[in-house]
Every structure is written in C-alpha cells, then in structure tokens.
Amino acid sequence: MQPSDKALVPFVSVDNMMRLIHYIGAEDMLRGLAEYIEADFRRWELFDKTPRVASHSAEGVIELMPTSDGEVYGFKYVNGHPKNTKSGLQTVTAFGLLAKVATGYPVLLSEMTVLTAMRTAATSAMAARHLAPKGARTMAMIGNGAQSEFQCLAFKAICGIDKVRLYDIDPGATAKAARNLAGHGLQVTTCKSPEESMEGAQIITTCTADKQFATILTDNMVGSGVHINAIGGDCPGKTELAPGILKRSDIFVEYPPQTRVEGEIQQLDPDHPVTELWQVIAGTAPGRRSADQITLFDSVGFAIEDFSALRYVRDQLIGTAFHDDLDLLADPDDPRDLFGMLQRAGG
Amino acid sequence: MQPSDKALVPFVSVDNMMRLIHYIGAEDMLRGLAEYIEADFRRWELFDKTPRVASHSAEGVIELMPTSDGEVYGFKYVNGHPKNTKSGLQTVTAFGLLAKVATGYPVLLSEMTVLTAMRTAATSAMAARHLAPKGARTMAMIGNGAQSEFQCLAFKAICGIDKVRLYDIDPGATAKAARNLAGHGLQVTTCKSPEESMEGAQIITTCTADKQFATILTDNMVGSGVHINAIGGDCPGKTELAPGILKRSDIFVEYPPQTRVEGEIQQLDPDHPVTELWQVIAGTAPGRRSADQITLFDSVGFAIEDFSALRYVRDQLIGTAFHDDLDLLADPDDPRDLFGMLQRAGG
C-alpha cells in the first residue's frame, strides 16, 4: 500500500546532511545558520523556553530540548556519554524534529550530530561578531576534538579570523585538527602549551571534553581585551575556566536558568550579573564597551539554536534530493477508521 | 559512503507496523503487549516518572513523554489536535524511540499512531482483567471512533468478552465500527442510545473525542457491579463521566500527578482517594473486592505503557524484515574526527 503524502515526513540522514553541507558549501552554510540563529535570538521573547528535560545515569545523560515559536515546534534528542569514545562511539549523538503547531504533524526529521556541530560553531561565531574586539584575526583553539575544526571554520566565515593556534593535551588531536584545516584558507599553528596557543590571540575558544571541574585557563593566562568563547563547560560539574577569569569578565549567556546550572557560572554566586546574548542582538543591552574589557560567552547550547538550525535545513531542502520520505504518520482515508486501514493492509 | 552498523537505527514505518501486526496476529499482539505492560507495571517503582512535557496552543497540544527503567530509555512524541479531522488529518499522531541508557544510542524508532491504539487497548483490557466482575462477557462501547475497534478486540483477546454493544452520537461511526468488527468472533449489536448500549453490559468503555466537559454517562445510567473503562477523558477540560458516578466508584489510575490534571478525577477534590493500578498488579493494593462495587479505570495513557509497547516491538522485530535501517547517527572512524568524516564525504 502506498502511503499518502500526509503520512510522509522528510528525513535527512547523516549522509544526506553531509551532502547538503557540501552542496551549499560549509562556510556558506555556517553563515546561513548564523543568520537564522541571529534572527531567532532577535525574537527571543516570543519562544516557549523550558530547560532541557534530562534523564541522568551513571554513564551520562539523555536530553530532550523542546521549543516553539508559536507556529513551528521543534525538539532535539541528544545524549552526552563521555566514556563512549572508549568503545568507538560518539560522546554526543543527536537528532531533531520540526512540527506544525497548528496540526501537530511533523514536517522534518533530521540527524543532528553533524548539524549540532555546525550550529554550535555558528552560534559561537555569531556571538563573537557582537562581542570580540574589532579587527580580531587570531584565535586560540584549546581542545582539538570533534567540535574544534567547525569552530575554526565558523570564525573564519563569520568573523574574519585568518589565524588559528591549536592546542590539545593530546598532540594527536592537534595534528588531526591541523590536517583537517589544511586548505581552508586559515594559517594554522600547532602549539605545545595553552600559553603558546594564546600568543597574539584576540579570541580564545575552549572546547575540552573532561566531565569534571577542570582549569583549562588559569587567571594569569588571560590578558585584557580578549573575547573568550567557552564551549566545553556545558553540564553540572564540568567547567574549564578559573573563577578569577570569570570575575574579571563581562559574561554573556544564552538562557540564565540553564547556564547557572550547566555553564562556567555554576562556579559563581547565583546572582552574579550576566547579560543575555539575545538582548545584545536585539540592541537592548550593550555588548563590548571598551578595548580592554574581557568578554566571555559562556555557551552551553540552547534549544532555540537547534530550532533555528532545523528551520535552516528545512528551507534549504526545498527542491533538493537530500532527504528520504519516511512513512511515519498513519493516514487513513477516514481519520476515524484507523482499524479499517489496518485491516485493509492485511487483505 | 556506506554508514557503519553503529550509525544505523531500525525504523518501523506505519506500513511495517501494520505488516508486523498481521504477521503476529492482532489478538496475539494485544495479548503480548498486555504482558509487557503488566510486567512493567509490576516493576513500576523502578521507572523514572515525569509528567509529560506539553506544548499547548490554541489548536492543540504536542507532548513528549519520556521514561527510563535504568537500562533502556524511551520517549513518545504525540500530538492532540481535535480539529484535525476537519482537514482530513488524524487527531493524534505519534512516534517513539528507545535508546540504551549506557551509551545514549537509539536502538529503535517507530511509528506509534497504530501502536498507541494497540497499547491503549491492551492497557485497558489488562486493567479490566484485574478489576472487572468475574465472568464478564458483554461490553458497552460508547464512542466508536478510531480507538473503539481496538478496545473491542483487546477485551475479547484478553478478558474473554464475546458481545459488544456499540453506540456513538454519529450512527455512521457505529456502522463503521460494526463493519470493521465483523468476522472477529464478536457478537456486535449497534445501539441507538447510550442506555441501550449498556443493557446487560458488565463492562462500559467510554471513548469519545470531545475536548470539553461532556457527560457521556449520567449518574442514573450506571448500575452497581460494573467496571467502567474511561478512555476519552484525557486532558484538562475533557471528561466524560458525571461526578456522581465517580463518587460511587472505586477509582484506579496510572500516575496520580498526571491523572489529577488530565483524567475524570480533575472533577473531584485533589485529595479524593484513588488506587494506583500498578499496586493492584503488584499485589499491594486490592482490586475488585465485591460483586456490587463499581470499579473505574480512569485512563489517560502513561509513558511506561509506550515504553512497554516499544520494548515489545523491538523484541518481535528480531529476525523479521519489518523495519528499515536509518542512517540517523554519525559514526566517524575516530569519534574525535567528525570534521574529517564530513570532508571525506565530499571528496
């Protein structure tokens, strides 16, 4: 039996997501994603916002991150299992869905492991465009895991960074990132210490994966005037920066109720002042105010960024072949006749 | 590029779900589902239980219903949009997922529109096996929409009902249900009033779809000794029974925090005594105690039932062809080398 169009939901597999990225071009897609994310941050107040719904276990966490703008509903399924790499699995995998609020019918199901890497990098660079010192050209990239090359490429595409200085506690990770970044128009320097990576850098991105209170940056390592893009501190008990740096910085966050629990600021008093990034973008709060200020984007990832990324993918898919159609929804001729549909399928 | 096995998630489409049901046999599957649901109710205390995460709009609701038994995590996406039928869409569509808690990796994605109809009916009949009067043979089925035939068949397969008496405010719905039930070994009587449908019935199932406080059963319609299976009252503002009936009944529910908001008992004081069905099944609370008692299963549907249904499907799928394999998870050779995987896909 051929399902009707109403039953079909476009599905973007990992393979099709990669094809879509190459079809659009990775840098163009990062710019496009940043535009969609920025547009949604600008209308931030309109969204249903709830902290993620987390199911914790000894091994990790599985989360559902729903949101809605009143017309479209979206959610992401994402896990975080730091020990997965030991058995050759990804630490983080994800998929997401968009649906019409008016009917509840899904309109897109998509892999989001690759897409999340793209949206995280696009969000970081979009934030830096508002917060980093003018004319920044050099970024220190500390932590050279799965997210690092996406960060470097996004900062090139969106902020005009042309030099990246890579450091990881594992030189193999740094070598891998340097290999991957060759030929992308970035001047890549591999460094033997975090200090070395920060020489001449106006932007410092930290993206390490330890699930524990770590001190990737100590207070005396960070001079005035830089922008810190802190990606790795993103769950309770996992931070990267010394509290002293936080106290010298102006801190920008996505959604305070979530960041207070998951971000770098879990180390600070619960009433330590922070600025919501959307207010900077909407023009209701200042971003960078002076050349010697330290700005810090304490990023943990928020549902609206996934929503924006799925919206972007849905819009780009139109007219392309980069999707399969899943027979996900039952669509009997008469909505009251589900049983009849089932019976006829057997006949 | 061929994704590795780790990247693939078995997906059961609507078409494959219907094939699976016919392969197993609808009544055998209802019995199998009831066994899995009963087994999970018996170990109820072990589950992570949270009320569903609902996103309400003027047109309806979209919900995520997560749960976990510590080894397996599951969630269901389900919408409820009463006006959908006007545009030829289903009021309720659903899909669900199981994942391993230890890795966060999904192990099953399945349609759940058809499966939810099956699990709802199996849950009702499983509850009635514990609560209905002994030797019950006749059921009144009030409300002859999409769920009604599943209910009738489940009560036959699981409780030994052999006579059903159908009533709906729309005679067309009754005629449809009677047609669909022909040849299933049930003696089917179509009735012109709710009163007529209840003649000689030991079990009364109400399953109507109005999203408003309705009175499908008034107090004087219900005599002593019956079991009422109330399916239709399942969201705030939607009930089917007169409060008088509730006050004369011993009330059994799935998860009180959810049923107090969504079930028939939203009409009663918040401290009105109810019994949790799992306690009856585990033997720690009495079910039916006397022949003249009215028992009421105030069913709203709970995440654990979906979890059980997905577990059942996963187990039945083994060795069958009733699934597709979705390339849902990115699986780079080196988990830290997501970017390298993306680059190689373009080369």
Side-chain angles (χ1 to χ4, degrees):
Chain A
M1 198 184 56
Q2 195 58 31
S4 84
D5 284 356
K6 285 174 190 163
L8 299 178
V9 178
F11 165 64
V12 183
S13 66
V14 174
D15 194 44
N16 271 325
M17 182 61 72
M18 295 194 296
R19 287 173 201 268
L20 181 68
I21 294 171
H22 286 289
Y23 172 75
I24 295 171
E27 291 190 48
D28 278 341
M29 180 155 167
L30 286 162
R31 276 188 288 265
L33 285 166
E35 263 175 45
Y36 272 63
I37 295 164
E38 191 165 358
D40 285 342
F41 270 61
R42 198 168 286 121
R43 59 193 189 117
W44 186 264
E45 289 169 290
L46 189 142
F47 281 88
D48 259 358
K49 288 172 285 291
T50 47
R52 49 187 107 194
V53 183
S55 175
H56 292 278
S57 65
E59 298 91 353
V61 64
I62 297 176
E63 298 174 329
L64 298 173
M65 301 165 71
T67 192
S68 164
D69 69 1
E71 290 191 6
V72 179
Y73 168 94
F75 81 88
K76 177 164 86 164
Y77 169 102
V78 59
N79 75 298
H81 286 71
K83 290 174 196 153
N84 269 5
T85 48
K86 286 180 190 159
S87 42
L89 301 175
Q90 287 286 109
T91 304
V92 175
T93 67
F95 70 90
L97 179 115
L98 289 183
K100 276 190 199 166
V101 167
T103 63
Y105 269 50
V107 295
L108 176 69
L109 178 72
S110 177
E111 86 81 35
M112 287 194 78
T113 310
V114 179
L115 185 60
T116 297
M118 294 286 286
R119 78 86 163 125
T120 300
T123 303
S124 288
M126 186 274 287
R129 198 165 52 190
H130 292 274
L131 300 174
K134 294 281 164 251
R137 303 280 294 272
T138 303
M139 177 164 88
M141 180 70 235
I142 299 176
N144 300 151
Q147 171 64 204
S148 62
E149 302 95 329
F150 294 93
Q151 288 282 330
C152 293
L153 209 60
F155 276 80
K156 172 180 180 251
I158 294 162
C159 302
I161 287 293
D162 55 13
K163 297 180 200 69
V164 293
R165 302 177 63 81
L166 309 180
Y167 171 75
D168 195 287
I169 196 167
D170 172 9
T174 302
K176 176 247 358 171
R179 260 195 321 275
N180 284 337
L181 288 169
H184 284 282
L186 281 163
Q187 185 183 318
V188 178
T189 307
T190 60
C191 303
K192 295 199 163 45
S193 70
E195 289 82 355
E196 186 189 344
S197 75
M198 287 157 58
E199 280 169 21
Q202 298 92 7
I203 297 175
I204 303 166
T205 291
T206 57
C207 190
T208 62
D210 265 339
K211 191 177 178 170
Q212 59 190 33
F213 289 103
T215 305
I216 309 302
L217 297 188
T218 58
D219 197 10
N220 61 3
M221 286 162 69
V222 176
S224 67
V226 300
H227 173 66
I228 304 172
N229 172 41
I231 304 297
D234 62 357
C235 65
K238 183 166 169 236
T239 60
E240 297 181 312
L241 306 186
I245 299 174
L246 304 182
K247 288 176 187 156
R248 288 161 55 211
S249 302
D250 287 294
I251 302 173
F252 300 83
V253 304
E254 289 141 321
Y255 183 58
Q258 186 175 309
T259 312
R260 300 261 183 216
V261 175
E262 301 176 357
E264 295 298 329
I265 59 171
Q266 65 187 279
Q267 305 180 78
L268 300 180
D269 291 339
D271 59 352
H272 189 93
V274 298
T275 303
E276 296 187 48
L277 181 61
W278 74 268
Q279 295 187 298
V280 177
I281 290 163
T284 59
R288 172 167 290 269
R289 284 170 290 108
S290 73
D292 61 354
Q293 182 189 16
I294 301 175
T295 51
L296 166 62
F297 178 40
D298 184 3
S299 174
V300 296
F302 190 61
I304 292 175
E305 295 150 21
D306 301 310
F307 180 91
S308 314
L310 289 169
R311 276 208 308 122
Y312 175 83
V313 167
R314 185 197 54 185
D315 289 352
Q316 301 307 312
L317 272 191
I318 296 167
T320 77
F322 304 118
H323 58 91
D324 305 301
D325 289 323
L326 290 194
D327 167 29
L328 184 64
L329 308 175
D331 181 44
D333 299 333
D334 172 357
R336 294 175 313 180
D337 198 15
L338 192 63
F339 192 83
M341 182 181 82
L342 171 61
Q343 287 205 130
R344 288 187 288 277
Chain B
M1 197 185 55
Q2 194 58 30
S4 86
D5 285 356
K6 286 174 189 163
L8 299 178
V9 177
F11 164 63
V12 183
S13 67
V14 175
D15 194 45
N16 271 325
M17 182 61 73
M18 295 194 296
R19 287 174 201 267
L20 182 68
I21 294 171
H22 286 288
Y23 172 75
I24 296 171
E27 291 190 46
D28 278 342
M29 181 154 167
L30 286 162
R31 276 188 289 264
L33 285 166
E35 263 176 44
Y36 272 63
I37 295 164
E38 191 164 1
D40 285 343
F41 269 62
R42 199 168 285 121
R43 59 192 189 117
W44 186 265
E45 288 169 292
L46 190 142
F47 281 86
D48 261 358
K49 288 172 287 290
T50 47
R52 48 188 108 196
V53 183
S55 177
H56 293 277
S57 65
E59 299 91 353
V61 63
I62 297 176
E63 298 174 330
L64 298 172
M65 301 166 71
T67 191
S68 164
D69 69 0
E71 290 191 6
V72 179
Y73 168 94
F75 81 87
K76 178 163 86 166
Y77 169 102
V78 59
N79 76 297
H81 286 71
K83 290 174 199 155
N84 269 5
T85 48
K86 286 181 192 159
S87 42
L89 301 174
Q90 287 286 111
T91 304
V92 174
T93 66
F95 70 90
L97 178 116
L98 288 183
K100 276 189 197 168
V101 167
T103 62
Y105 268 50
V107 295
L108 176 69
L109 179 71
S110 176
E111 86 81 35
M112 286 194 79
T113 310
V114 179
L115 186 59
T116 297
M118 295 286 285
R119 77 84 163 127
T120 300
T123 303
S124 288
M126 186 274 287
R129 196 163 56 191
H130 292 274
L131 301 175
K134 293 281 163 250
R137 303 279 293 273
T138 302
M139 178 164 88
M141 180 70 236
I142 300 175
N144 301 150
Q147 172 63 203
S148 62
E149 302 96 329
F150 294 93
Q151 287 282 331
C152 293
L153 208 60
F155 276 81
K156 173 182 179 245
I158 293 162
C159 302
I161 287 293
D162 55 14
K163 297 180 200 68
V164 292
R165 302 178 63 80
L166 309 180
Y167 171 75
D168 195 288
I169 196 166
D170 172 8
T174 303
K176 177 251 350 174
R179 260 196 320 273
N180 284 338
L181 288 170
H184 283 283
L186 282 163
Q187 187 183 315
V188 178
T189 306
T190 60
C191 304
K192 295 201 162 43
S193 70
E195 288 82 354
E196 186 189 346
S197 75
M198 287 157 60
E199 280 169 23
Q202 297 93 6
I203 297 175
I204 302 166
T205 291
T206 57
C207 189
T208 61
D210 265 339
K211 193 179 178 171
Q212 58 189 34
F213 288 104
T215 306
I216 310 302
L217 297 187
T218 58
D219 197 8
N220 61 2
M221 287 162 68
V222 176
S224 68
V226 300
H227 173 66
I228 303 172
N229 173 40
I231 304 298
D234 64 355
C235 67
K238 183 166 169 237
T239 60
E240 298 182 312
L241 307 185
I245 300 175
L246 304 182
K247 287 175 186 155
R248 288 162 55 212
S249 304
D250 287 296
I251 301 173
F252 300 83
V253 304
E254 290 141 320
Y255 183 58
Q258 186 175 309
T259 312
R260 300 259 184 219
V261 176
E262 301 176 357
E264 295 298 329
I265 59 171
Q266 64 187 282
Q267 303 180 80
L268 300 180
D269 290 338
D271 58 353
H272 188 93
V274 298
T275 303
E276 297 186 49
L277 180 61
W278 74 267
Q279 295 188 299
V280 177
I281 290 163
T284 60
R288 173 168 288 271
R289 284 171 290 108
S290 73
D292 61 354
Q293 181 189 16
I294 301 175
T295 51
L296 166 63
F297 179 39
D298 184 4
S299 175
V300 296
F302 190 61
I304 293 176
E305 296 151 19
D306 301 309
F307 181 90
S308 313
L310 290 168
R311 276 207 308 122
Y312 174 84
V313 167
R314 184 196 55 185
D315 289 354
Q316 301 307 312
L317 271 191
I318 297 167
T320 77
F322 305 118
H323 58 92
D324 305 301
D325 289 323
L326 289 195
D327 167 28
L328 184 63
L329 308 174
D331 181 44
D333 300 331
D334 172 357
R336 295 175 314 182
D337 199 16
L338 192 65
F339 192 83
M341 182 180 82
L342 170 62
Q343 288 206 129
R344 288 187 289 278

